[in-house]
Amino acid sequence: MKTAISKIQAEENFALGALKISGWLIVSVLIFIIGYIFYYGLPEVLSWHYLFTPPEGGRHDNGGILYQILATIYLIIGSLIVAAPIGVFAAIYLTEYAPQNFITTLIRFAIENLAGIPSIIYGLFGLAFFVIFLKFEYSLLAGALSVSIMVLPVIIRTSEEALKSVPQAFRQSSLALGVNKWQTISKVVLPSAFPGILTGILLSIGRIVGESAVLILAAGGSITAIPRFVSTTYPYVLPDSARTLAVHLYYQATSYDARAKAFATGVVLIFIVLFLNWCINQISKGYRKKLAVR
Amino acid sequence: MQETKIKKYFEKKEKRFWSSFVNLFMEQLFFLSASVAVISLFLITAYVFYNGFKLFQFVPVTDFLFGFDWDPVTQKLFGVFPMIIASCYVTVGALVISAPLGIACAIFLAEIASPATQQVIRPAVQLLSGIPSVVFGLFGLAFIVPLIQDVGDVAGLSILAAIIILSIMILPTIISISEDAIKAVPKELKESSIALGTTKWQTILGVVLPASSSGIVTALILSVGRAFGEAMAVKMVIGNTQTMPDFSPQTGFGLLSLARTLTTNIVGDIEYAEPGPHLSALFATGAILFLFIIIINATSYVCLRRNSVKSNS
């Protein structure tokens, strides 16, 4: 009896210990990866020169990443201008209007599937549709439009969650005052759901910044010219081929002589992700506080 | 006096007309936005498959699917069979490493860890899911590949390196979805098990895991989809050779040999593919990849369905 109990006890300790180790193992892997990238990349970034000089190209990739930062910012703006309104509107339709019918099922099915498609497929689509069929050539515009379809499910899902969490009583009391549905949505529902929607947009910025496969296929990779936001020739908006930070990192890392620079670009990317995560956590903290007060 | 009253009346009426017009207009706009998802999915499917099928004017389907050689420029050979095998190999390998680790971490987070510990591990998992795939690729290229090179006295770029990188990348998917599934197990179930005098581990093994199994399976299937579709990180560490991986024991049953997956075929060749059979072959590769992903997604959909039916009854 006693040995049986001690055997169970031993098994218990061993199993719980293993679970604990696996949890901490993942944290240490993360810390190791980030530490490794920072160890080799941080000195270059801290010299600031790297961030604010234009790239010169060449085998050793002299110069900095100013144009890549610019291209990344353009890409974020370009994709969000398209994806954010469409995503939020779609979420509003799904939570506030959608009847239980075939079309709604189809929309939900489409969103589920879009979320599961790998980015390389979005890249192929961008290449076939935007670059070749619509004749955008390799351009940030083609990249931004492909990426905006890719982040659409992210924005729709998080916005939907946010809209669902707005109490039904808010809507009813607004409607009882005699205002119509759009006024209720714009004045009551959207403001209360705003933090959640913002979270979705920040998440999708993270996806956009980290995306590389789509952009290699749809946005091309020229580096030495400064990308323009608008132009007088077709396709007018974001017309230039450009490398974002993630794509630049890929080219740097795969050419042996420029790999040291890739770590610096990696540090910049990790900083962006850290900053976005910090923002998201702050928002959800504030949101929880607000709910607690209520 | 009368006049201002009438004027006010019409102003009010006009305002009401406009607001109801905007109301109706916005409803249509919302519907259109939601339809964008359907249209996009349709266009993506149509374009990828249409462009891929163009290849079969030049090459028979069986030569494409089961051909062993990929030499699109000189010999015009478009066989992707080794890539299909490599894609499956890499995915299964990543799952073998990260499934136990991820599920264990999810159990730890949901059942054992103190709130303070959770506040360390959960942001770490969140951060892990946010790190761009090229950064993982860089880490693999700079750290794991040289490590394999030194230990195994081989090229370093290998299936094993891809498996290691992928297994790290799919961990967050497994952990977060499994954790949700484990947390959804009713408290009564766990308490009645504890009341029978079982230990915590016995409760986890005997009650919590079986009750959350379909959620955990969904997590695994979704992570399979992610691993199968990952392009950049794998491209950076797998070497991207056209040949069939060498499955002899000398190369660790293929682990240490170089390979090319479906995704890396697209990324690697797109830079020099000429319009014509070569570009079509890349689209066809994408179509095969897409088919695999559709099957994986459908499986997870069925799993979720079964899950929700079960919890409703």
Side-chain angles (χ1 to χ4, degrees):
Chain A
M1 186 67 191
K2 205 175 176 187
T3 53
I5 289 177
S6 68
K7 204 178 146 201
I8 289 171
Q9 191 63 48
E11 191 188 302
E12 170 90 0
N13 289 341
F14 175 76
L16 295 192
L19 293 179
K20 196 171 179 178
I21 288 171
S22 64
W24 287 110
L25 180 68
I26 288 162
V27 177
S28 41
V29 166
L30 175 80
I31 291 172
F32 182 71
I33 293 177
I34 292 181
Y36 191 85
I37 305 274
F38 270 44
Y39 177 77
Y40 289 102
L42 204 55
E44 180 88 53
V45 172
L46 285 182
S47 69
W48 301 115
H49 173 76
Y50 185 66
L51 296 181
F52 299 113
T53 43
E56 288 160 20
R59 200 161 67 102
H60 294 276
D61 192 40
N62 296 322
I65 50 170
L66 183 66
Y67 294 169
Q68 278 70 47
I69 293 175
L70 204 60
T72 309
I73 294 170
Y74 282 0
L75 184 79
I76 294 171
I77 296 172
S79 347
L80 281 185
I81 282 179
V82 179
I86 294 180
V88 174
F89 286 176
I92 292 175
Y93 180 76
L94 287 173
T95 46
E96 310 288 330
Y97 291 93
Q100 289 273 358
N101 62 13
F102 172 72
I103 294 175
T104 308
T105 320
L106 190 67
I107 292 170
R108 289 198 181 278
F109 172 82
I111 294 167
E112 285 295 314
N113 277 284
L114 281 179
I117 295 177
S119 56
I120 187 95
I121 302 276
Y122 285 104
L124 282 175
F125 169 69
L127 178 67
F129 187 68
F130 297 119
V131 176
I132 296 172
F133 181 72
L134 293 180
K135 300 194 174 62
F136 286 169
E137 303 293 326
Y138 284 118
S139 61
L140 271 178
L141 179 65
L145 290 173
S146 318
V147 167
S148 66
I149 303 176
M150 191 185 80
V151 296
L152 206 54
V154 180
I155 298 184
I156 295 178
R157 280 174 167 181
T158 37
S159 307
E160 222 189 318
E161 288 303 315
L163 290 168
K164 269 188 202 159
S165 73
V166 176
Q168 207 60 36
F170 280 29
R171 296 183 180 86
Q172 286 156 355
S173 23
S174 165
L175 288 170
L177 291 173
V179 301
N180 62 32
K181 200 156 185 177
W182 161 242
Q183 287 164 328
T184 303
I185 290 169
S186 63
K187 300 271 161 57
V188 178
V189 179
L190 278 180
S192 347
F194 182 72
I197 293 173
L198 195 62
T199 306
I201 289 175
L202 290 174
L203 276 175
S204 62
I205 291 180
R207 284 286 300 271
I208 296 168
V209 169
E211 189 46 60
S212 43
V214 176
L215 301 167
I216 286 178
L217 267 63
S222 74
I223 54 165
T224 41
I226 184 163
R228 286 166 300 170
F229 198 85
V230 286
S231 89
T232 50
T233 49
Y234 187 77
Y236 306 115
V237 187
L238 297 174
D240 294 317
S241 161
R243 274 187 204 176
T244 63
L245 286 169
V247 178
H248 193 55
L249 194 160
Y250 167 70
Y251 284 115
Q252 284 176 323
T254 42
S255 86
Y256 188 81
D257 294 317
R259 193 171 299 162
K261 299 265 185 157
F263 286 104
T265 315
V267 169
V268 176
L269 280 174
I270 291 175
F271 261 122
I272 295 173
V273 173
L274 279 172
F275 175 69
L276 288 171
N277 277 2
W278 180 80
C279 289
I280 290 171
N281 289 336
Q282 288 302 312
I283 290 171
S284 70
K285 231 183 245 168
Y287 201 49
R288 231 174 283 144
K289 233 179 240 167
K290 210 171 103 189
L291 282 181
V293 168
R294 191 184 292 154
Chain B
M1 189 66 199
Q2 195 70 20
E3 258 172 36
T4 49
K5 236 181 183 176
I6 291 171
K7 209 175 159 192
K8 253 187 188 159
Y9 172 77
F10 277 107
E11 262 174 12
K12 215 173 175 184
K13 198 161 186 189
E14 197 182 73
K15 215 173 155 191
R16 200 171 292 163
F17 169 77
W18 274 112
S19 73
S20 72
F21 173 78
V22 169
N23 188 29
L24 286 176
F25 174 78
M26 290 311 284
E27 184 173 347
Q28 296 310 313
L29 190 65
F30 293 150
F31 176 69
L32 276 180
S33 303
S35 326
V36 168
V38 181
I39 298 166
S40 309
L41 183 66
F42 173 76
L43 280 179
I44 291 172
T45 318
Y47 265 88
V48 171
F49 280 96
Y50 169 72
N51 281 293
F53 277 128
K54 278 186 194 161
L55 173 73
F56 303 129
Q57 300 167 356
F58 311 104
V59 186
V61 182
T62 45
D63 282 12
F64 174 70
L65 279 181
F66 301 110
F68 271 61
D69 298 295
W70 175 268
D71 188 355
V73 181
T74 49
Q75 292 184 62
K76 307 279 176 209
L77 289 171
F78 301 98
V80 293
F81 190 64
M83 302 167 201
I84 296 176
I85 298 294
S87 275
C88 295
Y89 194 174
V90 167
T91 307
V92 171
L95 198 65
V96 165
I97 296 180
S98 57
L101 199 59
I103 295 170
C105 182
I107 298 171
F108 180 62
L109 267 179
E111 295 288 322
I112 299 166
S114 65
T117 313
Q118 288 183 25
Q119 258 163 25
V120 178
I121 296 182
R122 204 162 284 135
V125 174
Q126 188 195 1
L127 183 59
L128 203 59
S129 73
I131 291 181
S133 53
V134 279
V135 174
F136 284 111
L138 172 65
F139 174 75
L141 197 56
F143 180 74
I144 292 171
V145 167
L147 196 68
I148 295 173
Q149 204 170 13
D150 290 345
V151 174
D153 199 22
V154 284
L157 296 166
S158 58
I159 290 184
L160 180 63
I163 288 176
I164 293 172
I165 288 300
L166 275 180
S167 64
I168 300 172
M169 290 180 69
I170 61 175
L171 270 174
T173 314
I174 299 182
I175 294 171
S176 56
I177 301 176
S178 307
E179 197 202 337
D180 288 343
I182 292 168
K183 272 189 178 157
V185 174
K187 220 175 162 190
E188 293 80 14
L189 265 170
K190 283 183 251 174
E191 279 166 355
S192 31
S193 164
I194 299 266
L196 290 173
T198 60
T199 64
K200 200 155 198 174
W201 170 240
Q202 287 168 330
T203 306
I204 290 170
L205 200 63
V207 176
V208 175
L209 280 181
S212 56
S213 61
S214 60
I216 293 176
V217 170
T218 311
L220 296 181
I221 295 171
L222 285 175
S223 69
V224 164
R226 246 203 102 179
F228 205 91
E230 176 54 44
M232 304 311 294
V234 177
K235 163 76 171 57
M236 289 162 86
V237 298
I238 206 167
N240 220 20
T241 50
Q242 287 108 320
T243 47
M244 190 73 169
D246 177 14
F247 288 113
S248 62
Q250 283 86 8
T251 62
F253 300 99
L255 282 177
L256 298 178
S257 72
L258 289 84
R260 175 183 285 212
T261 66
L262 290 168
T263 52
T264 65
N265 186 38
I266 302 171
V267 183
D269 275 24
I270 203 77
E271 280 163 27
Y272 64 92
E274 300 280 332
H278 192 183
L279 193 61
S280 301
L282 296 185
F283 275 102
T285 315
I288 299 295
L289 173 71
F290 203 174
L291 271 181
F292 271 98
I293 295 291
I294 289 171
I295 294 168
I296 293 167
N297 282 354
T299 323
S300 82
Y301 194 69
V302 170
C303 267
L304 272 177
R305 225 350 129 64
R306 213 181 50 193
N307 191 13
S308 64
V309 168
K310 213 164 53 183
S311 62
N312 280 342
S313 61

